[in-house]
Amino acid sequence: MTQENFKSPLLTVDSVLFTIKDNSLKILLLKRKNSPFQNSWALPGGFIDVNRDDSAENTASRKLTDKTGVTPPYLEQLNTFSSKSRDPRGWSASIAYFALIAHEETNLKVTPRNDESAQWVDVESLMDETANYQPLAFDHQQIFQFALERLKQKALYSMLPVFCLPKEFTLGEYHTLIEIILGKSIQKKTLYRRFEASNMFEETGETVATGARAAMLYRLKEDAELVNFERNLG
Amino acid sequence: MTQENFKSPLLTVDSVLFTIKDNSLKILLLKRKNSPFQNSWALPGGFIDVNRDDSAENTASRKLTDKTGVTPPYLEQLNTFSSKSRDPRGWSASIAYFALIAHEETNLKVTPRNDESAQWVDVESLMDETANYQPLAFDHQQIFQFALERLKQKALYSMLPVFCLPKEFTLGEYHTLIEIILGKSIQKKTLYRRFEASNMFEETGETVATGARAAMLYRLKEDAELVNFERNLG
DNA sequence: TAGATAATTGTCCTTGAGACACTATTTGTC
DNA sequence: GACAAATAGTGTCTCAAGGACAATTATCTA
C-alpha cells in the first residue's frame, strides 16, 4: 500500500494566541479576506510552506510573528483537528498551536482603527453565543475552546500564564491574571508561595505604584524552566 | 494565498498501543514490508483513507482494530510530528495517537511464532540503545518516548492505566502495573484510597487466588468516567 | 494445624493549599 | 504633620490527601 493510492488531505496550521488586556483575556483573530468563510473571523494560520518551514511549529511561529511583529515567548502544540467536513474544500487537518504573549510587547501590523483585519477579541464575547454573535470560520470555535481549557488547566498547576504578562510585572498583576483565567478568586498567599517556590523569577529592584503601596517588579530569570506543581489549585 | 501555491505534505497516522504482559510494559510494533525503512520495526499506522475515514482518530482506530482484532478501550491523540526530514519521501506529518489495551483481549492477526510481522515489544528493550539495538523506522523512537512520558504523567494523577488490564482485575494487578509504569514502588494504601475515591469500579463478587489469600475482582462501572486527581503521586 | 504469602486495613506523619487576619508602605486630605 | 484609604505583603492555623509502615485477615501448602 503506497501513498499514491490516497488523495492527500489539506494540511494547515492555526494558532490560538492569548494575551491579557484591559483586565480581560483576549485572543488574536483575523478577518478572512478570501473564501471560504470570507469576512468571518478566524484564528491566525494558514498552509504550511514546505519550502520555508522545517516543521509545523515553524509555520505557526512564522505566522504569529508576521502578525504581531514579535515571536511569542510561549508556543506549544495543542491538538490536530481533522475531518472530512471541517473545510468545505475537502478532507482537511489543522495542526493547532497554543501561544501566549504580552500585548504590550506586540506591534500588530494592522491596528483595529485603520483596518479591522487583526484584532484582540475578548474571550468572554466568544463564549457568549447569544445576541449578534458571528461564528468563527471553520471549526475555530472548537479549537479556541480546546485552547482555553488547556490554559485553565495549566494555570492550576504551573506558572505558565506569566507569559501573558510583560517582561516586568508585579505579583498583583499575576494574581489578577490568574483570577481572570480561572474565573474565580484565588488566595494571594497561595500564589505568592508558588511564585517563590518556583524559583523562576527574580526581583528587578524597581517598584511600581498603582495608587497605593508600591509593588516589587519581577522578571523571569535567564535560565528559568517552567515548573509544574504537584497539586492543583482548588 | 490559496492552497494551490503549496505542495501538500504527506499525512499519516501512527499509534503507540501499550499493554502489560509478562510483568512488563510493551507496545505493539510491526515489521515494515515496504520501503522506506523496509524490515525495520515501526508503529502501527499508515495513510489516511479519505474515502473511508471521517477523521484521523478514525484512521488510528481502524488500523489498530485491523491488527489486534479489537477496538482499544482507550485512544487519545498524542501529538503531531512534522518536519521536512522525518520521512525520506519528503515533507511529512504524522498525527500520533496513544492507546491502551489488555493484551488478553486482543487477537493479533499474526502471532510472533508464525510470522514476526506483529509483535508486543518490551518498552525496556526500546529504551536501551546498546547492544544489537535496531532503531525504529522514521522518528518512531521519538513518538514512542513522547507516548511513554504521557503514560507516566497520567499514571500520576488518574486511573488511566487500568485500560491496560483485562475487564476484570485485582487491586494487586493494578498496583503492579503502576509500579512497572512508574519504575518505582508506590504504597499500596495510596492506590487503594484512590481506587476507592475514583468511584469508577465495582466488585464483581468473584475472587481469584494467586497462591495466597484470594483477591477481589473489580470491573469498570458501566457509566464510569475517568477521574483526575488533584495531586500527583510522589 | 502451623507457616508462608499475599490482601486489606489502621493510624500517624508530612506537605502544601485554603482561610483569614494582621502588618507595611504609599498617597491623598485636612 | 496626623490620619484615613488603598493596595502590598506576611503569619499562622486548619484541612485534605499522599507516604510510611505495621497490624490484621484470608487462603494455600506442607
Side-chain angles (χ1 to χ4, degrees), chain B residues 75-109:
Chain B
L75 177 69
E76 73 168 33
Q77 195 181 307
L78 184 63
N79 199 247
T80 297
F81 296 83
S82 67
S83 82
K84 63 178 180 186
S85 56
R86 58 179 296 282
D87 187 320
R89 291 167 292 190
W91 218 107
S92 79
S94 172
I95 307 175
Y97 283 81
F98 162 83
L100 304 178
I101 203 165
H103 79 275
E104 295 92 333
E105 318 264 345
T106 66
N107 173 25
L108 288 190
K109 287 288 171 60

Side-chain angles (χ1 to χ4, degrees), chain B residues 100-133:
Chain B
L100 304 178
I101 203 165
H103 79 275
E104 295 92 333
E105 318 264 345
T106 66
N107 173 25
L108 288 190
K109 287 288 171 60
V110 182
T111 61
R113 189 173 293 273
N114 301 326
D115 178 330
E116 65 172 359
S117 78
Q119 196 167 311
W120 291 113
V121 178
D122 198 316
V123 155
E124 288 301 317
S125 75
L126 291 170
M127 301 299 286
D128 160 30
E129 308 206 2
T130 58
N132 50 357
Y133 175 76

Side-chain angles (χ1 to χ4, degrees), chain B residues 147-167:
Chain B
L148 183 58
E149 275 313 303
R150 171 142 335 163
L151 177 59
K152 286 186 177 183
Q153 213 40 52
K154 293 215 167 189
L156 293 177
Y157 66 80
S158 80
M159 306 295 297
L160 184 65
V162 289
F163 294 111
C164 290
L165 295 175
K167 290 208 172 59

Side-chain angles (χ1 to χ4, degrees), chain B residues 6-74:
Chain B
F6 295 92
K7 277 192 293 189
S8 195
L10 300 175
L11 184 60
T12 60
V13 168
D14 290 300
S15 300
V16 185
L17 178 63
F18 289 97
T19 199
I20 190 81
K21 184 163 181 272
D22 305 331
N23 257 18
S24 68
L25 192 64
K26 299 185 192 289
I27 64 171
L28 183 66
L29 290 179
L30 307 179
K31 187 158 259 188
R32 285 181 61 81
K33 298 205 177 77
N34 301 313
S35 179
F37 295 100
Q38 190 169 24
N39 296 321
S40 287
W41 292 97
L43 297 173
F47 291 97
I48 292 167
D49 183 339
V50 299
N51 296 313
R52 290 178 67 180
D53 302 320
D54 288 355
S55 68
E57 181 161 326
N58 227 279
T59 308
S61 178
R62 180 170 58 79
K63 295 274 178 186
L64 291 176
T65 306
D66 274 1
K67 298 298 173 189
T68 63
V70 290
T71 303
Y74 188 79

Side-chain angles (χ1 to χ4, degrees), chain A residues 10 35 47-48 89, chain B residues 1-8:
Chain A
L10 300 175
S35 180
F47 290 99
I48 292 167
R89 291 166 294 189
Chain B
M1 206 149 69
T2 64
Q3 176 238 341
E4 287 73 25
N5 302 346
F6 295 92
K7 277 192 293 189
S8 195

Side-chain angles (χ1 to χ4, degrees), chain B residues 162-181:
Chain B
V162 289
F163 294 111
C164 290
L165 295 175
K167 290 208 172 59
E168 302 197 346
F169 60 92
T170 67
L171 282 171
E173 287 165 348
Y174 183 65
H175 182 221
T176 305
L177 169 63
I178 296 299
E179 292 196 334
I180 289 170
I181 290 172

Side-chain angles (χ1 to χ4, degrees), chain A residues 47-98:
Chain A
F47 290 99
I48 292 167
D49 183 339
V50 299
N51 295 313
R52 292 178 68 180
D53 302 320
D54 288 356
S55 68
E57 180 160 329
N58 227 280
T59 308
S61 177
R62 180 170 60 78
K63 295 275 179 186
L64 291 177
T65 307
D66 275 0
K67 298 299 174 191
T68 63
V70 291
T71 304
Y74 188 80
L75 178 68
E76 73 167 34
Q77 195 181 307
L78 184 65
N79 198 250
T80 297
F81 296 82
S82 68
S83 81
K84 64 179 180 185
S85 56
R86 59 179 294 284
D87 186 320
R89 291 166 294 189
W91 217 107
S92 80
S94 172
I95 308 176
Y97 284 81
F98 163 82

